[in-house]
Amino acid sequence: MVCQKCAQDPVYEIPKANIQYCKTCFSEYFEHKVWKTIREYGLIEKNDHIGVAVSGGKDSMTLLYLLANFAKERRDIKITAIAIDEGIEGYRNRTLDGLKKFCGKEKINLRIFSYQEEFGKPLDIMVKKYPKACSVCGVLRRYLLNTKAKQLGITKLATGHNLDDEAQSVLMNQFRNNPAVSSRLGPITGVVQDAKFVKRIKPLYFLSEKETSTYAFLRGFMDTYIECPYASDSYRAQVRDMLYEFEAKFPGTKKNIIQSFLEVLPVLKSKYKAEMRYCQTCGEPSQNEQCKACQFIQILTEK
Amino acid sequence: MKVYIERTKEQKIIEAGDCKELLQKLKINPTTVLIARNGQLITEQTKLNSQDEIKLISVISGG
Ligand code: SF4
Ligand SMILES: [Zn+2]
Ligand SMILES: [Zn+2]
């Protein structure tokens, strides 16, 4: 088997479609899909200042690489990479090293905010009191990204979420009967134009985890595998594994989940728009006057 | 051939005619890994021979 288009050795195969792509043709296919998503969903507009949420992992490195290239051709677009250092010894410090090197080489403005500086202690210490590391970690990360993005004058916050991440979220919200949460998914969020809430964009929305990994590998972003010491068999991980099994048996499952979700998303958005409340402190969507993150941060920083 | 599974850091010796068969023998879901031979990515349909050194790279992010 050779590449469909140019007869070189293939690096990627579209399952069951019998289409094989070589390095060059796969990269073109991948980038084309990203640009198409940006264009069709209006992810980037004139004079945008894009904050790219980066962890040093393959998805966010791929995203940063692509958006930095985009900004080279679009003089009106500004890019700032934003990383959160949770304070996870042996993990985050290592992923951030690669990121720092990359940003230095590519002359990308990188801002790193740490739990230690912002909340007084690293995650490694917080987990002694709050053993659910991932809930604490996620809540605080989202909070920091949002508040720092606003301070930096960022107009849109780009994240490396891919097709797999989104399909998992859609299913999780179905399984838990959380349609209001689903109404805030999609390639671009920001139901209401609210000065307190920075719009989120997901340029890798239609690319699978395998496609993103393949691209990241070809660009040298697939570093040796390191796993966060707190990564556990979460609900999301179980949904992910189930979806992998389904995808192998019924190729196209994840794409179908997303396609049908996008069909109903406008309905969800209009239904939950009116009910949408925002946290008085940070501006994130929240059912109460103060969101979970802000309540938690208050407890955490109180002595 | 020698197969290295990055996620679990396992090294195995196994024979297979192509990558598809290799993954089946290892009971690894093809949508969860990249397959590299001598640092180059190959696909499920790629034919293998016993001198090959294969590395299986997990596509799942580590948190
Ligand atoms: S696995 Fe959990 S603790 Fe580790 S970085 Fe991810 S969310 Fe944070
Ligand atoms: Zn080609
Ligand atoms: Zn809040």
Side-chain angles (χ1 to χ4, degrees), chain A residues 86 88 91-92 123 133-134 137-138 141 228 230-231, chain B residues 62-63:
Chain A
E86 301 93 343
I88 307 171
Y91 173 63
R92 186 59 78 218
L123 190 71
C134 293
C137 183
R141 187 197 299 125
C228 175
Y230 304 118

Side-chain angles (χ1 to χ4, degrees), chain A residues 70-126:
Chain A
F70 184 85
K72 275 181 200 156
E73 281 165 36
R74 282 279 302 267
R75 287 299 163 99
D76 59 312
I77 305 295
K78 199 175 149 192
I79 299 280
T80 299
I82 308 177
I84 305 297
D85 182 358
E86 301 93 343
I88 307 171
E89 195 49 45
Y91 173 63
R92 186 59 78 218
N93 47 341
R94 285 166 67 192
T95 66
L96 288 181
D97 277 348
L99 176 65
K100 285 180 206 159
K101 262 183 224 141
F102 177 76
C103 289
K105 202 179 89 201
E106 299 286 322
K107 299 193 176 61
I108 297 167
N109 182 21
L110 168 67
R111 301 292 306 267
I112 302 177
F113 302 99
S114 71
Y115 287 5
Q116 172 72 59
E117 254 171 61
E118 304 293 331
F119 308 118
K121 32 181 143 349
L123 190 71
D124 283 340
I125 300 293
M126 292 180 192

Side-chain angles (χ1 to χ4, degrees), chain A residues 1 10-13 18 20 23 58-59 91 209-210 213-214 217 222 224-225 227-228 240 244-245 248, chain B residues 6-7 9 29-34 36 39-46 55 57-63:
Chain A
M1 284 301 282
V11 297
Y12 186 77
E13 172 180 348
N18 222 9
Q20 308 249 351
K23 266 184 208 168
K58 62 174 168 61
D59 299 309
Y91 173 63
E209 188 103 62
K210 180 148 175 170
S213 304
T214 302
F217 183 95
M222 268 313 251
T224 7
Y225 186 79
E227 195 172 69
C228 175
R240 176 194 67 204
Y244 274 138
E245 255 176 62
Chain B
E6 197 180 42
R7 188 156 211 234
K9 299 191 171 72
N29 181 336
T31 63
T32 66
V33 284
L34 304 183
Q40 300 288 324
L41 290 184
I42 52 178
T43 69
E44 268 187 84
Q45 297 190 36
T46 306
K55 190 165 155 188
I57 304 156
S58 172
V59 304
I60 299 163
S61 321

Side-chain angles (χ1 to χ4, degrees), chain A residues 64-282:
Chain A
L64 182 60
Y65 171 83
L66 291 170
L67 292 184
N69 277 350
F70 184 85
K72 275 181 200 156
E73 281 165 36
R74 282 279 302 267
R75 287 299 163 99
D76 59 312
I77 305 295
K78 199 175 149 192
I79 299 280
T80 299
I82 308 177
I84 305 297
D85 182 358
E86 301 93 343
I88 307 171
E89 195 49 45
Y91 173 63
R92 186 59 78 218
N93 47 341
R94 285 166 67 192
T95 66
L96 288 181
D97 277 348
L99 176 65
K100 285 180 206 159
K101 262 183 224 141
F102 177 76
C103 289
K105 202 179 89 201
E106 299 286 322
K107 299 193 176 61
I108 297 167
N109 182 21
L110 168 67
R111 301 292 306 267
I112 302 177
F113 302 99
S114 71
Y115 287 5
Q116 172 72 59
E117 254 171 61
E118 304 293 331
F119 308 118
K121 32 181 143 349
L123 190 71
D124 283 340
I125 300 293
M126 292 180 192
V127 292
K128 298 208 169 113
K129 212 163 152 199
Y130 308 95
K132 280 191 167 175
C134 293
S135 339
V136 177
C137 183
V139 162
L140 297 182
R141 187 197 299 125
R142 228 171 302 129
Y143 170 87
L144 269 191
L145 282 173
N146 192 44
T147 49
K148 295 299 171 187
K150 271 183 285 187
Q151 286 169 16
L152 295 169
I154 275 156
T155 52
K156 304 219 177 77
L157 190 60
T159 58
H161 290 106
N162 58 39
L163 185 86
D164 289 52
D165 299 320
E166 188 81 352
Q168 289 155 20
S169 299
V170 169
L171 278 196
M172 285 162 72
N173 291 336
Q174 290 273 11
F175 291 175
R176 291 164 152 174
N177 189 21
N178 274 338
V181 180
S182 273
S183 77
R184 302 195 295 264
L185 294 174
I188 178 161
T189 61
V191 193
V192 187
Q193 287 284 2
D194 190 318
K196 280 188 163 183
F197 184 72
V198 180
K199 281 192 181 182
R200 305 286 162 96
I201 57 169
K202 299 170 188 164
L204 307 180
Y205 197 84
F206 293 103
L207 290 144
S208 73
E209 188 103 62
K210 180 148 175 170
E211 288 172 323
T212 311
S213 304
T214 302
Y215 189 85
F217 183 95
L218 296 174
R219 295 272 176 249
F221 301 143
M222 268 313 251
D223 263 332
T224 7
Y225 186 79
I226 12 176
E227 195 172 69
C228 175
Y230 304 118
S232 62
D233 203 14
S234 60
Y235 191 74
R236 177 176 290 274
Q238 293 181 51
V239 171
R240 176 194 67 204
D241 293 345
M242 184 195 73
L243 260 179
Y244 274 138
E245 255 176 62
F246 251 77
E247 185 70 37
K249 272 190 224 154
F250 311 105
T253 296
K254 288 179 294 197
K255 213 174 128 210
N256 291 341
I257 292 172
I258 293 306
Q259 291 302 348
S260 61
F261 170 68
L262 289 174
E263 284 287 311
V264 298
L265 183 58
V267 180
L268 284 180
K269 279 195 178 181
S270 64
K271 173 151 195 235
Y272 291 100
K273 196 161 131 187
E275 289 175 30
M276 194 78 80
R277 302 269 176 280
Y278 294 89
C279 170
Q280 297 294 313
T281 314
C282 71

